[in-house]
Amino acid sequence: MRETRWVALLLLLAISAAGAAGRKEKDGEKVCDKGWECSGSRFCCNETISDYFKADQFEELFANRNDAQLAHAADFWDYQSFISAAALFEPRGFGTTGGKEMGMKEVAAFLGHVGAKTSCGYSEAPGGETAWGLCYNHEMSPSQSYCDDSNELYPCVAGVEYYGRGALPVYGNHNYAIVGRGINQDLLHHPESLEQNATLAFEAAIWRWMTPMKRKQPSAHDVFVGNWKPTKNDTLSQRYPGFGATMNVLYGDLICGQGYIDDMNVIISHYQHYLDLMGVGREHSGDNLDCAEQVAFNPSSKSPESLSKLHCGDQQWTETQTRETGLEEGMELASVPYLASSSSSSFSSGYSRFACRCRRASKTVVATSATGRSGATDSACSETFEQQNLDVHSGPKSSWCFRRRDLASAILLPFVLPPINISRAAEPYDGLIIQNGVRKFLTKGKAAGVLRLVFHDAGTFDIGDKSGGMNGSIIYEVNRPENAGLNRSIKLLGKAKEEIDSVQKVSWADLIAVAGAEAVALCGGPEIPVRLGRLDSSTADPAGKLPEETLDAAALKTSFSKKGFSTQEMVVLSGAHTIGGKGFGSPIIFDNTYFKVLLEKPQPSSSGMAGMVGLRTDWALAEDDECLSWIKIYAEDQAKFFDDFRDTYIKLVNSGASWRTA
């Protein structure tokens, strides 16, 4: 009997010692052996994410993120950035709730959303569509700057664009401001931080995962780990804890309540794929995996009756909720668009906006949309609904209310189909479909011809009478002498257009602009964001608008100035001759060799060509002092050439364009 007592005592001491190894005392308070203070956290001595999720697992989940051919954020995302960001939220339970298996499942769930939103994979891609997460870190080909000028709380900063960036993309000046305050960063002034710093990008995404969208609603974290108990209204709306509800929190009825749509299924597929790779197994995905029949927490449309019942004062936050979420009183989350990517441009998206403002009960609500329409309704603000956008309300109760309806009607298609995630305007216009259609037919050998097509379509612009420009009229002008050979490029893009049009209609002007950007990037040049929404001309542009190949530098300057381009812009655009058969280095490599060769000044041949390299206009640039100064700069600094070419290309493909209004 005595021996039994001694054995029990020894076991107790052993258990106590083991516990002490994981916990220490500091001023009477427990701390983890890694120094994680326990104050205010019941998770302090649980296993942290780095204990069970290792670098090799991260590499396996995102094995293709640095692919030289397809990845547009190569060498950006890494394991340590994720771990550093996650560590900030572990005291709140991120990855530390409910034991090791639940922690691993939550990491897989969160990364499943991230992988789906940043994927450049598609069903026929090597490894399938789930093998290409973290391919992007910003929206490709943004269709607008996402500046909401009506937002008086967080007005746009001059010169700053608020297109989608990050792991769970953030859109719009209002959202950048609120997410920035949540992670103590000035994202309103510096939204680019989310595509320059991977740790901040992950931190912003985890903050959104951990933060409820509205008062008395759960966060994605809460519905996944079981912190949330559905109300009767929730059960009647088919909302139950599980992975499906995370999609409801983050995307609302953009994904949920629409049956088993591909947009939803692809997110689930990423989650289950990651569970398999992490050794948990998809059989442990949990109950309520989808949200096919769930009613959205925050529906994107409301009846007039329900709208009239939602008043400004209904959305005040309590002090407790403010502390728990990290939001100030009055802050609420709405949903944001999705990162949309391209093969080599930038995430292409548009969004329709519906703003609701009301000052005190006596004021009317003014609604504005992307089409410029406005109207007045009762003095009530509609509920926020898009899950990744944030609305802030400050001041006394009922004194100020500002909300956005349909703020970026984002569709998951971008990251559901091939490489991107794109938001849509009043009419869906998916840049991903255009870019993938181009990539199917474009090769490096055909890149120069496609890029020439851009110059000959946009190059007819005349700033004086506003004629010509990027309007697709080149398809009516192929028989002109200056356009000899372009019929091959038009036929190539015609094949792409036929396939794209079977899914959504695309204008020739948009198609050519995107194809040119794709051609540059395919050959190793800069990624160029292309705004979408150009309208096509139904007639040919006036003849004789393109610069002739026999012009000297002075005449070239005059010609380009009539199109609104400076000498520097003329020189940088001429650098496009670095690809193709003009003899400036490799015909399929876009670099600054063009300028280096011009500085060598080879002797002209008897035909007037400089050593059979380039055109007469190319060498005319080297004979002009002003042009020569820019040639020297670009010959020495390829990065500057890439930056300036990108900016000037954007200006070129927007020259003379007419735009869709909806």
Side-chain angles (χ1 to χ4, degrees):
M1 189 70 176
R2 183 176 298 176
E3 292 178 356
T4 302
R5 289 179 179 175
W6 278 108
V7 170
L9 180 59
L10 289 173
L11 286 173
L12 181 61
L13 290 173
I15 293 172
S16 299
R23 297 177 174 84
K24 297 179 181 179
E25 295 288 333
K26 180 180 179 181
D27 297 329
E29 184 174 292
K30 293 185 299 182
V31 296
C32 285
D33 54 8
K34 295 181 180 179
W36 177 3
E37 296 288 345
C38 287
S39 178
S41 174
R42 64 181 184 277
F43 310 105
C44 63
C45 292
N46 294 358
E47 284 188 283
T48 59
I49 294 173
S50 60
D51 290 330
Y52 57 75
F53 182 60
K54 304 298 184 180
D56 59 336
Q57 292 174 297
F58 182 90
E59 294 297 327
E60 189 173 10
L61 264 60
F62 305 109
N64 296 313
R65 73 187 189 281
N66 294 324
D67 183 272
Q69 298 297 319
L70 292 179
H72 293 272
D75 301 320
F76 180 77
W77 304 104
D78 62 87
Y79 171 77
Q80 192 54 52
S81 295
F82 171 66
I83 292 300
S84 297
L88 300 174
F89 297 89
E90 288 172 340
R92 289 175 53 187
F94 178 65
T96 55
T97 300
K100 178 179 178 180
E101 181 175 306
M102 176 55 76
M104 295 180 73
K105 288 171 63 176
E106 183 176 15
V107 169
F110 169 76
L111 292 178
H113 283 277
V114 169
K117 305 291 263 274
T118 58
S119 173
C120 59
Y122 50 101
S123 57
E124 291 80 19
E129 61 187 354
T130 58
W132 294 83
L134 295 182
C135 186
Y136 300 100
N137 63 1
H138 65 278
E139 178 188 5
M140 308 299 284
S141 300
S143 62
Q144 56 185 286
S145 66
Y146 295 94
C147 169
D148 180 3
D149 291 325
S150 65
N151 191 325
E152 299 177 21
L153 293 173
Y154 294 108
C156 301
V157 177
V160 175
E161 295 189 341
Y162 298 100
Y163 57 80
R165 301 173 175 91
L168 288 179
V170 181
Y171 282 76
N173 45 304
H174 192 91
N175 297 324
Y176 273 104
I178 303 307
V179 173
R181 296 183 73 165
I183 63 173
N184 296 316
Q185 297 290 327
D186 184 9
L187 297 183
L188 181 64
H189 288 80
H190 299 288
E192 71 279 2
S193 299
L194 297 190
E195 60 179 298
Q196 295 176 350
N197 186 314
T199 300
L200 286 181
F202 276 126
E203 185 179 343
I206 300 173
W207 182 84
R208 291 171 58 194
W209 175 266
M210 299 293 294
T211 305
M213 296 298 168
K214 279 187 65 175
R215 179 189 179 195
K216 296 183 179 179
Q217 288 185 1
S219 65
H221 165 77
D222 291 332
V223 300
F224 186 81
V225 302
N227 290 343
W228 170 64
K229 293 183 179 180
T231 64
K232 181 179 180 180
N233 182 59
D234 290 319
T235 57
L236 290 174
S237 300
Q238 303 298 311
R239 295 191 292 259
Y240 300 97
F243 184 78
T246 67
M247 292 185 283
N248 197 327
V249 170
L250 294 174
Y251 319 125
D253 55 13
L254 297 175
I255 296 296
C256 300
Q258 302 190 43
Y260 294 90
I261 59 175
D262 289 341
D263 293 2
M264 178 190 73
N265 292 334
V266 74
I267 303 174
I268 297 173
S269 295
H270 277 81
Y271 166 50
Q272 292 187 314
H273 179 62
Y274 293 168
L275 283 177
D276 288 341
L277 294 181
M278 291 172 67
V280 178
R282 65 182 58 212
E283 64 272 17
H284 296 292
S285 299
D287 297 331
N288 309 311
L289 187 59
D290 64 79
C291 63
E293 299 179 357
Q294 291 186 19
V295 177
F297 281 106
N298 302 298
S300 58
S301 61
K302 291 286 187 180
S303 66
E305 293 80 7
S306 63
L307 286 178
S308 65
K309 298 176 182 178
L310 298 170
H311 295 281
C312 294
D314 291 342
Q315 307 202 14
Q316 298 300 313
W317 287 68
T318 66
E319 185 178 355
T320 301
Q321 290 166 331
T322 301
R323 288 196 304 265
E324 291 176 349
T325 63
L327 292 174
E328 293 182 359
E329 184 175 355
M331 292 188 182
E332 288 195 2
L333 304 180
S335 62
V336 166
Y338 305 72
L339 285 190
S341 14
S342 79
S343 82
S344 51
S345 309
S346 58
F347 296 80
S348 170
S349 5
Y351 78 110
S352 64
R353 183 182 70 231
F354 187 109
C356 170
R357 287 189 295 170
C358 55
R359 293 177 184 267
R360 312 189 191 282
S362 61
K363 297 285 185 176
T364 60
V365 174
V366 178
T368 60
S369 73
T371 60
R373 294 186 295 270
S374 63
T377 64
D378 293 336
S379 57
C381 283
S382 60
E383 281 196 271
T384 53
F385 78 98
E386 288 202 60
Q387 263 64 33
Q388 296 168 357
N389 215 315
L390 318 173
D391 278 322
V392 176
H393 316 287
S394 60
K397 185 172 181 178
S398 298
S399 66
W400 174 258
C401 179
F402 182 97
R403 297 207 199 162
R404 211 168 279 127
R405 284 178 55 86
D406 205 21
L407 173 56
S409 299
I411 46 178
L412 274 177
L413 191 60
F415 289 119
V416 165
L417 286 173
I420 313 176
N421 212 335
I422 301 173
S423 50
R424 62 185 175 191
E427 175 186 351
Y429 199 60
D430 194 337
L432 166 67
I433 295 174
I434 302 172
Q435 293 148 354
N436 283 338
V438 169
R439 276 181 281 150
K440 184 174 180 179
F441 296 94
L442 183 63
T443 65
K444 290 183 178 180
K446 299 173 182 177
V450 169
L451 188 56
R452 180 173 171 238
L453 194 63
V454 176
F455 280 69
H456 283 232
D457 190 36
T460 59
F461 179 62
D462 188 314
I463 198 171
D465 58 15
K466 306 298 181 183
S467 64
M470 197 72 199
N471 56 19
S473 65
I474 189 68
I475 64 174
Y476 307 114
E477 302 158 8
V478 290
N479 293 326
R480 293 176 179 175
E482 64 267 28
N483 294 331
L486 286 181
N487 60 321
R488 292 189 295 271
S489 297
I490 290 176
K491 288 180 180 179
L492 171 76
L493 294 188
K495 295 177 182 179
K497 190 176 190 301
E498 184 177 356
E499 291 200 7
I500 296 168
D501 282 345
S502 67
V503 181
Q504 70 175 24
K505 297 296 182 181
V506 60
S507 67
W508 273 104
D510 271 351
L511 179 62
I512 294 170
V514 171
E518 296 288 330
V520 170
L522 180 63
C523 293
E527 295 183 359
I528 305 175
V530 176
R531 177 184 175 187
L532 301 178
R534 295 170 187 78
L535 299 175
D536 282 341
S537 172
S538 58
T539 60
D541 285 340
K545 294 290 187 176
L546 293 176
E548 297 179 6
E549 296 178 358
T550 58
L551 297 181
D552 60 17
L556 283 172
K557 289 181 181 181
T558 300
S559 177
F560 273 81
S561 68
K562 291 180 179 179
K563 304 179 189 302
F565 291 92
S566 66
T567 298
Q568 177 254 332
E569 290 171 328
M570 176 183 71
V571 173
V572 77
L573 286 176
S574 298
H577 286 172
T578 190
I579 60 173
K582 296 181 174 63
F584 293 100
S586 170
I588 60 172
I589 297 178
F590 192 99
D591 55 18
N592 65 339
T593 300
Y594 171 83
F595 302 104
K596 295 179 179 178
V597 173
L598 287 182
L599 290 179
E600 295 173 1
K601 297 183 178 179
Q603 293 298 314
S605 67
S606 58
S607 64
M609 295 293 288
M612 298 308 293
V613 174
L615 303 174
R616 176 68 190 93
T617 49
D618 292 318
W619 298 102
L621 300 181
E623 298 167 0
D624 179 87
D625 289 341
E626 184 182 8
C627 294
L628 183 60
S629 65
W630 286 109
I631 291 172
K632 291 178 179 179
I633 290 172
Y634 294 136
E636 296 175 358
D637 192 342
Q638 179 169 284
K640 179 169 179 55
F641 166 50
F642 278 16
D643 287 343
D644 289 353
F645 184 87
R646 179 189 63 242
D647 294 341
T648 310
Y649 181 94
I650 293 171
K651 180 178 178 178
L652 176 69
V653 297
N654 290 345
S655 297
S658 296
W659 302 92
R660 299 189 315 161
T661 57

